[in-house]
C-alpha cells in the first residue's frame, strides 16, 4: 500500500496550491479519503474528507470556503485545492484512506501517506 502526496511548497498568503495524493496497493474506490495536517508543535488535525463515490465532502471550519477536496477514481488520486492560503495553514499535509467511510477521526483511517510540506509566508 502506498499513498504518495505531492504539490506542497512555499506560497505567499492569499495564494493557491493544489495537493495530489496517488494511491496504490488497495481498491481505491472502496475507500473514503481524508486530508489532515500537522503544524509545528501541534497535533494532527482534520482538514477535509470525501466519500468513496465523491458524492459527499466534509471540511474543517477553518478551511471551509477556501479548500476543496475531490477525487478521480480512474486515476486513484485525491486532490486538495487550497485557495486564499493563510499563514496558519502552514503544516505538513497528509492524505489517508478509510475503508468504507470518510470521517474526521484520524484513528479510524487505515492507511497514511508520508506527508507534504506547505509553507505560507505572511
Amino acid at each position: 500500500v502506498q499513498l504518495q502526496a505531492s504539490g506542497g511548497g512555499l506560497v505567499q498568503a492569499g495564494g493557491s496550491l493544489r495537493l495530489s495524493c496517488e494511491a496504490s496497493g488497495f481498491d481505491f474506490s472502496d475507500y473514503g479519503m481524508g486530508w489532515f495536517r500537522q503544524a509545528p508543535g501541534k497535533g494532527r488535525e482534520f482538514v477535509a474528507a470525501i466519500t468513496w463515490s465523491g458524492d459527499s465532502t466534509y471540511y474543517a471550519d477553518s478551511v471551509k470556503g477556501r479548500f476543496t477536496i475531490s477525487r478521480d477514481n480512474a486515476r486513484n488520486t485525491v486532490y486538495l485545492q487550497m485557495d486564499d492560503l493563510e499563514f496558519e495553514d502552514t503544516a505538513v499535509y497528509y492524505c489517508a484512506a478509510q475503508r468504507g467511510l470518510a470521517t474526521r477521526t484520524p484513528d479510524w483511517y487505515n492507511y497514511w501517506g508520508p506527508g507534504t510540506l506547505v509553507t505560507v509566508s505572511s
Side-chain angles (χ1 to χ4, degrees):
V1 171
Q2 273 198 319
L3 291 171
Q4 187 60 53
S6 60
L10 175 64
V11 63
Q12 287 188 327
S16 298
L17 282 176
R18 188 194 196 204
L19 304 184
S20 300
C21 176
E22 184 173 0
S24 61
F26 62 99
D27 195 342
F28 183 74
S29 60
D30 283 346
Y31 284 71
M33 297 297 297
W35 286 97
F36 294 79
R37 66 186 182 187
Q38 187 164 14
K42 296 188 177 181
R44 190 167 297 190
E45 68 167 342
F46 169 78
V47 175
I50 187 167
T51 55
W52 65 270
S53 64
D55 287 348
S56 296
T57 56
Y58 310 93
Y59 296 94
D61 288 343
S62 59
V63 307
K64 199 173 293 183
R66 300 188 297 120
F67 290 12
T68 304
I69 188 171
S70 61
R71 66 189 294 160
D72 184 343
N73 285 351
R75 296 179 183 271
N76 285 2
T77 302
V78 61
Y79 305 97
L80 186 68
Q81 177 67 42
M82 305 186 294
D83 298 319
D84 193 19
L85 282 159
E86 302 172 352
F87 176 75
E88 292 74 20
D89 295 319
T90 295
V92 176
Y93 283 71
Y94 300 89
C95 64
Q98 183 176 38
R99 184 172 177 84
L101 299 174
T103 67
R104 299 169 182 261
T105 307
D107 287 349
W108 292 4
Y109 280 74
N110 304 102
Y111 307 127
W112 289 84
T116 184
L117 177 63
V118 172
T119 304
V120 183
S121 62
S122 58

